[in-house]
Amino acid sequence: MIVILAALAGAIWGGLLAKKRGGKPADIAQYAAGYGIAFALAGLFVTIVLERLL
C-alpha cells in the first residue's frame, strides 16, 4: 500500500513541477513517470524496512 501511495504522490508532484516550469504535455508526462518510479522505489524500501522491524 505504501508503494502505491508513494507512486501516486510522486507522479502528482512530478506533473505539477513540470507544469510549474512551463513544460509541454510530453514533459509533464515524463516528469510524472520519473518521479512516480522514484517515489515507488523509495516506498518499496520503506515497506521492506517496516516489514523487517515489525
Side-chain angles (χ1 to χ4, degrees), residues 36-47:
I37 291 169
F39 276 49
L41 187 59
L44 178 64
F45 286 125
V46 168
T47 301

Side-chain angles (χ1 to χ4, degrees), residues 4-51:
I4 296 168
L5 292 176
L8 287 174
I12 291 169
W13 190 358
L16 291 175
L17 182 64
K19 189 173 181 179
K20 179 181 174 184
R21 293 181 179 177
K24 296 179 181 177
D27 298 326
I28 295 170
Q30 186 174 2
Y31 265 70
Y35 275 75
I37 291 169
F39 276 49
L41 187 59
L44 178 64
F45 286 125
V46 168
T47 301
I48 292 170
V49 168
L50 287 176
E51 286 293 325

